Amino acid sequence: MTGVILNNVVKRFGDVQVIHGVDLEIEDGEFCVFVGPSGCGKSTLLRMVAGLEETTEGTVVIGARDVTRMDPSERGVAMVFQTYALYPHMTVAENMGFGLKMTGHPKETIREKVAEASRILKLDPYLDRRPKALSGGQRQRVAIGRAIVRGPEVFLFDEPLSNLDAELRVEMRVEIARLHREIGATMIYVTHDQTEAMTLANKIVVLRDGRIEQVGRPMDLYRDPDNKFVGGFIGSPSMNFLAGTVGAGHVSVPGLGRDLTVSVNLPEAGRAVNVGLRPEHLTLDPNGESHVVELTEALGGVSYAHLVAPSGERLIVEERGDFRTDAGARVGVDVPLDKTFLFDAQTDLRLR
Ligand SMILES: Nc1ncnc2c1ncn2[C@@H]1O[C@H](COP(=O)(O)OP(=O)(O)OP(=O)(O)O)[C@@H](O)[C@H]1O
Ligand SMILES: [Mg+2]
């Protein structure tokens, strides 16, 4: 069993506290993804698991061992960074085997492990090349291969794909998913990328300012966010938010030009709320005229209509195909009541 448990971990750099007591349980074999805005502490938390940053308070447990004060090399983890950090003068095979060589493993063992990693990552044709003769994607595969060769119980990835172009990212994302299926090891993966988080994770951890906002399976976070931050962070394009006021059994939403009767426990009348509407749940009504089309973007499979609401607020509607309305046209917006989220405007907490 090599799950990872963080017990109330805190990180301070001098006087500055950047991780504020995080509790988290990652199960054996799970693919756990950390997401959150830049500077929220994703890398710091990952480096605390790796042992590359000292944990100021709390404990880090890997498997059954408290590793809080252990060296990185004793923790049974291997980390893959955004910058591949390969040795330029070594071949692919030497780069992958270097860690084992340093720890005095016999040549034959190293050769076998490198061959195995090379098979998994389809690196056989490149084993004798040096890194500079490889593409970005191939270099990142070598960096991942180096981690595999070490046979860690836990793989740690810090934005491993962000230096790659869009097409290669998709390819590598699929490879990492395959790698996880094949090896079955626990993986913790930091990313900015929505799609990577949604598709790779068994469990997503949404972080903000050094605290966990919500933990859950990707589709649970998407369907059932606990607060406005998670609602806006998960999903692309982001959830639209329109200001609303609670009335008697309904919410009046100037940005829609009407009242919504939603099936949630409404607080007292007069209370300010934010109404969350995902672009993909809204549809344009060509016969309506409450909203003005400011701009449309056709991406091929889908199109986005950017609208200005009667309140002056802006919102995006996603349509299948290449629906195109001229800028300046007036349209209505259809809202599915069962997919409407309400958030308290003061606490940002979800009203259910
Ligand atoms: N060595 C350090 N000394 C002081 N502050 C640091 C140090 N390393 C990180 N920080 C601060 O800790 C916070 C979290 O940084 P971290 O690198 O973990 O963010 P991140 O979520 O990985 O961001 P990004 O998405 O930009 O990589 C930031 O405010 C950062 O400035
Ligand atoms: Mg980072």
Side-chain angles (χ1 to χ4, degrees):
M1 282 296 289
T2 36
V4 176
I5 300 172
L6 304 180
N7 290 311
N8 198 16
V9 296
V10 166
K11 178 66 189 176
R12 275 188 288 271
F13 291 106
D15 293 341
V16 185
Q17 184 162 342
V18 300
I19 301 291
H20 301 270
V22 163
D23 285 305
L24 179 64
E25 212 161 307
I26 300 165
E27 280 158 45
D28 186 30
E30 203 161 42
F31 200 118
C32 176
V33 174
F34 293 172
V35 293
S38 187
C40 69
K42 303 180 294 294
S43 296
T44 304
L45 207 51
L46 194 72
R47 292 167 63 83
M48 287 161 76
V49 175
L52 298 171
E53 295 289 357
E54 200 177 303
T55 297
T56 313
E57 282 172 32
T59 53
V60 179
V61 177
I62 299 179
R65 299 184 303 153
D66 181 338
V67 301
T68 316
R69 303 288 157 225
M70 283 187 196
D71 274 352
S73 61
E74 300 168 327
R75 295 189 179 201
V77 303
M79 188 142 164
V80 179
F81 301 91
Q82 176 178 351
T83 53
Y84 325 121
L86 301 177
Y87 297 109
H89 58 287
M90 290 184 199
T91 64
V92 166
E94 287 164 351
N95 262 287
M96 290 202 284
F98 186 67
L100 292 187
K101 191 173 166 194
M102 289 310 284
T103 43
H105 286 73
K107 270 209 176 83
E108 188 53 24
T109 314
I110 298 175
R111 211 188 51 74
E112 276 168 21
K113 299 225 173 202
V114 168
E116 169 69 2
S118 166
R119 181 192 62 76
I120 293 173
L121 294 166
K122 303 192 189 80
L123 283 169
D124 288 347
Y126 313 106
L127 284 174
D128 295 326
R129 287 203 204 169
R130 296 197 204 287
K132 74 170 189 313
L134 298 175
S135 72
Q138 290 160 349
R139 284 179 212 179
Q140 191 53 287
R141 290 221 294 276
V142 177
I144 294 170
R146 193 171 44 184
I148 294 174
V149 164
R150 293 178 46 200
E153 292 169 329
V154 181
F155 284 78
L156 307 174
F157 295 92
D158 194 352
E159 307 209 37
L161 307 186
S162 20
N163 281 355
L164 306 178
D165 66 42
E167 203 177 325
L168 214 46
R169 282 186 84 120
V170 175
E171 208 175 287
M172 284 301 295
R173 190 178 81 215
V174 174
E175 288 208 24
I176 289 177
R178 193 171 51 78
L179 178 71
H180 181 243
R181 253 203 330 275
E182 186 161 342
I183 301 186
T186 308
M187 297 191 174
I188 311 179
Y189 189 101
V190 168
T191 184
H192 273 103
D193 187 299
Q194 276 287 324
T195 320
E196 281 173 29
M198 291 299 286
T199 57
L200 289 173
N202 308 121
K203 177 183 274 176
I204 295 182
V205 179
V206 183
L207 291 161
R208 180 197 198 182
D209 294 340
R211 290 188 175 83
I212 291 181
E213 289 282 318
Q214 193 172 352
V215 177
R217 292 184 301 178
M219 284 309 285
D220 290 343
L221 295 191
Y222 175 83
R223 289 200 193 102
D224 199 15
D226 282 346
N227 56 48
K228 184 173 174 236
F229 181 81
V230 174
F233 200 83
I234 300 287
S236 173
S238 289
M239 187 181 274
N240 297 294
F241 295 108
L242 296 173
T245 310
V246 176
H250 65 265
V251 178
S252 78
V253 191
L256 294 172
R258 63 176 182 277
D259 296 343
L260 294 181
T261 309
V262 285
S263 57
V264 302
N265 293 312
L266 289 176
E268 75 283 1
R271 187 110 178 164
V273 293
N274 283 300
V275 180
L277 301 163
R278 295 200 182 277
E280 58 272 36
H281 294 154
L282 299 174
T283 37
L284 294 183
D285 172 8
N287 300 318
E289 46 184 44
S290 51
H291 292 66
V292 178
V293 178
E294 188 174 41
L295 166 77
T296 60
E297 298 173 301
L299 275 70
V302 295
S303 301
Y304 301 136
H306 296 249
L307 308 181
V308 182
S311 57
E313 294 165 296
R314 284 181 160 70
L315 68 163
I316 298 179
V317 176
E318 178 178 320
E319 296 267 300
R320 300 291 313 163
D322 68 342
F323 184 100
R324 272 196 168 265
T325 322
D326 291 332
R330 299 196 77 92
V331 292
V333 177
D334 286 334
V335 176
L337 291 175
D338 59 331
K339 293 196 171 107
T340 299
F341 299 94
L342 285 192
F343 303 95
D344 187 293
Q346 250 153 47
T347 61
D348 279 346
L349 292 178
R350 171 92 176 282
L351 301 167
R352 287 184 163 100

